[in-house]
Amino acid sequence: MKDSSLKTEIASLKLENPHILASGILDENGYTMKKILEEGAAAVVTKSIGMDERNGYQAPVIADAPAGLINAIGLANPGIESFGDEIAIAKGSNRPVIGSIFASTVEEFANLAIRMQKYRVDAIELNLSCPHVKGFGSEVGSDPDLVEQIVNELKLKVPVPIFAKLTPNVTNILDIAKAAHKADALVLINTVRAIRIDIHARMPVLSNIYGGLSGPAIKPIGLRAVYDVYRETGFNIIGVGGIETHEDAVEYIMAGARAVQIGTALMTKGRKIFGELNSNLLQFMEREGYSSIDDMVGIGVVK
Ligand SMILES: Cc1cc2nc3c(=O)[nH]c(=O)nc-3n(C[C@H](O)[C@H](O)[C@H](O)COP(=O)(O)O)c2cc1C
């Protein structure tokens, strides 16, 4: 079987395989993004970038959890002004670079998207879902009217594909997904709002108290979101949450995802994970008789 069987497409974005680096892990620096693309990732999503530089929260910003971790980095990032150089370096790999942005108003999102697009990113991912920063992320992404306005405005302002990354921390993710229907794809899911308590200090472990749970612990939650949104809408979906093996990726694809993102597993398994995912997925498809990714998309969904 040929490597080309792994190809997939999200709107006009062509990918060599379905495995993408998720936002926030080893993607604030052009050289690490380029390295990860050379290891076999089909594309990378940058760290979420805002208008101005942010230092994020004070330590501790990460706590461990059974089968995952809780982070409250606080959207630390260098700001849009200085980020063009990193994108240019990552683009040296000739694979797609997706620019992630966060803001609190429609105007700021539009402004950032225009600047990001000038850096020649191949798509823009809207962070409507970070669960631990006041005024941003899930606070914006829990309001269907605001989500609709942001997505619609960006579709008018920038020609590159727009991906909307949604939060699972809402009563009904379908309402938000439908509000974002003009996006070229939905990215499901960001982290799940969580805390840990230090029983000796008698206080929360994280300086911010709340953080976002990621890793294998959230895989069934991510799958449920992908499954529900795909079954109801048939939208293009990129699945993310707890993927460590090719079996995890296949589960997401069979639930309706056309591609998947990998985050926490980079920290636990290292960047070689992309090469392993590609070769193991190819062997799986050969054994099970699938000739393309498209053959598997949504086939696990009960009609
Ligand atoms: C340390 C860390 C930083 C993250 N930063 C961002 C970010 O800047 N923007 C964003 O949209 N998601 C961010 N995420 C969320 C991931 O992109 C992903 O949605 C989530 O971790 C679930 O996938 P995983 O289980 O493969 O890590 C971050 C996750 C982690 C663990």
Side-chain angles (χ1 to χ4, degrees):
M1 209 165 163
K2 286 193 273 116
D3 285 4
S4 61
S5 312
L6 292 180
K7 284 184 192 254
T8 184
E9 266 179 48
I10 310 282
S12 56
L13 192 70
K14 294 192 184 351
L15 300 173
E16 287 298 311
N17 66 66
H19 305 121
I20 303 172
L21 176 70
S23 179
I25 295 93
L26 299 176
D27 50 7
E28 209 179 301
N29 175 296
Y31 292 104
T32 56
M33 288 191 271
K34 185 161 179 271
K35 190 86 203 147
I36 284 167
L37 289 162
E38 287 163 2
E39 293 283 354
V44 293
V45 185
T46 69
K47 174 75 192 158
S48 290
I49 302 296
M51 220 50 182
D52 303 308
E53 183 179 357
R54 273 175 71 98
N55 292 326
Y57 299 133
Q58 283 183 349
V61 292
I62 291 200
D64 64 355
L69 58 88
I70 307 176
N71 91 81
I73 308 282
L75 290 173
N77 80 96
I80 191 76
E81 187 79 46
S82 64
F83 203 61
D85 293 347
E86 307 304 331
I87 291 173
I89 294 165
K91 279 193 71 77
S93 63
N94 287 323
R95 288 200 169 185
V97 175
I98 302 164
S100 171
I101 54 174
F102 72 93
S104 51
T105 64
V106 181
E107 294 70 33
E108 221 175 78
F109 263 110
N111 207 334
L112 272 169
I114 290 165
R115 295 180 71 174
M116 197 47 115
Q117 192 229 318
K118 285 195 182 138
Y119 293 149
R120 297 187 40 253
V121 291
D122 299 274
I124 290 176
E125 186 175 285
L126 312 179
N127 180 348
L128 301 166
S129 43
C130 172
H132 52 71
V133 181
K134 223 177 149 27
F136 296 106
S138 57
E139 285 197 13
V140 177
S142 308
D143 176 345
D145 292 336
L146 192 50
V147 167
E148 188 164 8
Q149 284 174 40
I150 294 167
V151 171
N152 293 0
E153 179 73 4
L154 264 60
K155 282 304 295 172
L156 290 175
K157 292 266 163 75
V158 285
V160 293
I162 299 291
F163 301 162
K165 184 170 180 183
L166 305 188
T167 173
N169 304 301
V170 288
T171 311
N172 188 356
I173 198 165
L174 258 173
D175 293 342
I176 313 291
K178 285 178 184 166
H181 67 277
K182 287 206 177 146
D184 296 278
L186 301 181
V187 182
L188 307 173
I189 56 175
N190 208 314
T191 52
V192 178
R193 197 164 154 88
I195 62 169
R196 289 277 324 262
I197 300 286
D198 181 328
I199 59 169
H200 301 292
R202 304 174 192 180
M203 60 188 284
V205 173
L206 296 169
S207 73
N208 183 55
I209 304 175
Y210 299 97
L213 178 62
S214 63
I218 68 166
K219 188 181 84 175
I221 302 173
L223 281 168
R224 189 261 298 157
V226 171
Y227 187 100
D228 283 352
V229 173
Y230 180 80
R231 188 185 52 185
E232 189 76 16
T233 67
F235 289 166
N236 284 329
I237 297 172
I238 301 172
V240 51
I243 295 171
E244 290 194 324
T245 66
H246 71 284
E247 285 106 333
D248 298 330
V250 171
E251 267 193 86
Y252 270 97
I253 294 168
M254 290 188 176
R258 303 206 146 266
V260 293
Q261 295 180 357
I262 294 102
T264 302
L266 263 287
M267 295 170 169
T268 52
K269 305 212 152 186
R271 59 170 196 259
K272 298 259 180 256
I273 190 172
F274 283 102
E276 284 166 23
L277 285 169
N278 289 338
S279 62
N280 291 344
L281 180 59
L282 200 60
Q283 283 171 35
F284 170 85
M285 289 169 65
E286 191 161 24
R287 271 198 315 273
E288 303 277 326
Y290 298 108
S291 53
S292 70
I293 296 296
D294 213 37
D295 282 355
M296 297 190 285
V297 174
I299 63 168
V301 174
V302 178
K303 296 283 183 280

